[in-house]
Amino acid sequence: MADFLTTAEKLEQFRERDAKVNAMGGPKMLEKQKNLGKMTARERIDVFFDKGTFVEIDKFVTHHSTFFGMDKREVPADAVVCGYGKVDGRTVFIFSQDFTSMGGSMGEWQANKICKILEMAMAMGAPVVGFNDSGGARIQEGMFSLSGYGKIFFRNTRASGVVPQITCIMGPTAGGAVYSPAIMDYIFMVKGYGQMYITGPEVIKAATGEIITNEELGGAVTHTKISGYAHWACEDDTDCIARVKELLSYLPSSNREKPPVYPCEDPADRCEEKLNTFIPNSSNRVFNMRNLIKLVVDNGEILEVMKDYAPNMLTLFARMNGQTIGIIANQPQMMSGCLDVNCSDKAARHIRFCDCFNIPIVTFVDVPGFLPGKGQEWGGIIRHGAKMLFAYSEATVPKITVIVRKAYGGSYMAMCSKDMGPDMVIAWPTAQIAVMGAEGAANIVWRKDIAAAEDPEAKRAELVQAYDELFNNPYIAASKGHIDCVLEPKLTRPTIISALDAFKDKVDKLPWKKHGNIPL
Ligand code: HXC
């Protein structure tokens, strides 16, 4: 007996159904999205993946809700486009919320689709990227949508450290919906329409009387500068997608791999004469650590993570001889490079990400100490600073420390001193490794001698010089192996590259444990 429909008719039926889902929320909603300057969920996917590589999963999934007339309402693809494809030839999994379909709201089945993508990515060992553009929990589905979020948080957490998880805030993200991005590794936000907050301006106004705009409360600039919750603020969808691809180029696909190595035209043995004169003659003069690092890494190229937050610390990705490295560096141009609460968190997170994903860590040091003051002490600098000590001590990837100038007191250790387990500590002749600067030391230790002297100022200068000559150099530390190698600055690039090569297969295992208890 022949089927009810012919093969040609079945094909036609498929094409009709497929087109209906592809049409998303319909022309009016698509127009609205366009007028806001936003791409649609499908356009974002088109721009993101290598041409013709995207495979959609669960395209015909529908919601099963019956409340409030939902049984009569179609929501194409349940307002999220999911699947996988290639980015620069490597597999990446994606979910892209479709705001044109019921505001991209999260129902039970949208959540199930996203969970499936997270599970596939974990099993395959490939990164997950999310394009968020949603009005949040689908109100008509009540607690089922909340449970959907919960399932996603659970899987985000299980995937943490297994595959890179990157999220782009390309529309509203409100309430508990912010917590999936918060658990993921990196957050990109688009200025103007990417917004995140737990409670919106209306609720805040009702609860506290405070008046604030959406953008001011939870826009890209707010979260990259003030809260430090997001890592990059982007101009528009195109800029955002390009930056995600750039980040992916530095990362391995999973914790089972090393990062990809790219052909490198910048010579591995390049000596950089400018470095020999880079450090100012006076310890009180600042210099730009970013520029110093650019002279060392491949082609002067860096990818800066959280550029606008805690700028006294630089957290970067770069390449050395084609190989990805993570960089932690003090920035003497900002707060003299002192360590504070925010920069300690920023650095510790970067160290831990690199360690999760087999990325060697290079630390550049010019640190005068922890920032003094009641604000820092009450803000928990002890706990936050401890995160850096913990993260460095726990990291088993190759670690290289380069001390270019000051390395004082506790901050010396927090910047991966020899005792924190780096494989190689390099110091420039300009390095000063001491408990504190000569001025402070002389004033504390010889305060009475200075006061009793006939000419206290001359005595002070004499003692400062004596302390400076004895301690403010790399040689005392080098005499007991706390520095492995004192180096002419111009040789920094070839020396780091050879150390990365020498230690690339090092074995460093932590004792068995469920997990450590980092001071959060
Ligand atoms: C169901 C929703 C929705 C939602 C939007 N829509 N959000 N439907 N549940 N959460 C629908 C609208 O009804 C509308 O449908 C369509 O999507 C487009 O929305 P508009 O309001 O017309 O768009 P716009 O003017 O651009 O405003 C966008 C918005 C607004 C600011 C996001 O829609 C809004 O305030 N939505 C509710 C946000 C919210 O409170 N979400 C719950 C957060 S709490 P029609 O049919 O008219 O086209 C939460 C808890 C999560 O998420 C907890 C996890 C643990």
Side-chain angles (χ1 to χ4, degrees), residues 128-312:
V128 180
V129 173
F131 294 152
N132 291 265
D133 192 357
S134 164
R138 187 171 296 158
I139 294 159
Q140 294 86 334
E141 291 198 27
M143 70 77 54
F144 296 114
S145 62
L146 296 186
S147 159
Y149 274 117
K151 288 185 174 117
I152 294 171
F153 303 161
F154 181 83
R155 282 159 185 79
N156 282 143
T157 306
R158 293 290 165 108
S160 181
V162 179
V163 293
Q165 300 183 82
I166 298 168
T167 195
C168 301
I169 309 297
M170 297 167 139
T173 305
V178 297
Y179 284 114
S180 170
I183 297 169
M184 293 169 87
D185 295 304
Y186 291 112
I187 300 177
F188 293 75
M189 292 188 74
V190 181
K191 290 183 202 163
Y193 51 80
Q195 285 149 3
M196 288 188 288
Y197 34 73
I198 298 272
T199 48
E202 290 306 319
V203 178
I204 291 179
K205 191 173 157 197
T208 68
E210 203 177 357
I211 294 173
I212 190 162
T213 64
N214 280 306
E215 189 66 10
E216 215 185 331
L217 180 67
V221 174
T222 299
H223 284 310
T224 49
K225 264 197 176 155
I226 301 172
S227 73
Y229 174 43
H231 301 82
W232 287 277
C234 311
E235 296 307 318
D236 54 22
D237 286 5
T238 313
D239 180 40
C240 182
I241 291 168
R243 288 179 189 223
V244 172
K245 288 163 99 162
E246 186 189 3
L247 171 62
L248 284 170
S249 78
Y250 285 94
L251 310 184
S253 293
S254 75
N255 62 348
R256 307 197 289 254
E257 292 178 7
K258 289 188 174 179
V261 179
Y262 291 84
C264 175
E265 283 168 13
D266 194 350
D269 60 356
R270 173 167 59 80
C271 291
E272 192 56 73
E273 289 290 343
K274 284 185 205 145
L275 291 174
N276 274 3
T277 52
F278 203 92
I279 303 297
N281 288 328
S282 163
S283 290
N284 297 329
R285 291 264 315 277
V286 299
F287 62 90
N288 188 342
M289 184 69 94
R290 190 181 286 111
N291 290 345
L292 184 157
I293 291 166
K294 283 183 180 174
L295 291 171
V296 174
V297 301
D298 290 359
N299 309 311
E301 283 169 13
I302 54 171
L303 174 62
E304 196 155 348
V305 183
M306 298 182 101
K307 187 173 183 200
D308 299 323
Y309 182 75
N312 43 326

Side-chain angles (χ1 to χ4, degrees), residues 13 15 60 104 294 312 349 487:
Q13 185 189 52
R15 286 185 182 135
F60 296 111
K294 283 183 180 174
N312 43 326
R349 187 160 169 85
L487 197 71

Side-chain angles (χ1 to χ4, degrees), residues 358-393:
N358 310 315
I359 298 172
I361 299 166
V362 181
T363 305
F364 288 87
V365 185
D366 178 26
V367 65
F370 283 95
L371 185 67
K374 187 173 80 177
Q376 288 295 310
E377 297 292 344
W378 290 9
I381 185 60
I382 299 174
R383 181 175 72 252
H384 293 280
K387 291 178 194 174
M388 290 187 67
L389 297 168
F390 194 104
Y392 270 128
S393 302

Side-chain angles (χ1 to χ4, degrees), residues 429-475:
T430 44
Q432 306 168 9
I433 299 140
V435 174
M436 60 175 67
E439 198 79 41
N443 286 340
I444 294 171
V445 181
W446 297 294
R447 191 176 44 217
K448 287 185 194 140
D449 304 68
I450 292 169
E454 220 170 89
D455 181 347
E457 278 321 302
K459 187 71 182 168
R460 187 194 318 274
E462 179 198 320
L463 290 168
V464 166
Q465 190 181 347
Y467 191 89
D468 192 67
E469 279 171 7
L470 185 61
F471 283 120
N472 281 350
N473 59 61
Y475 304 110

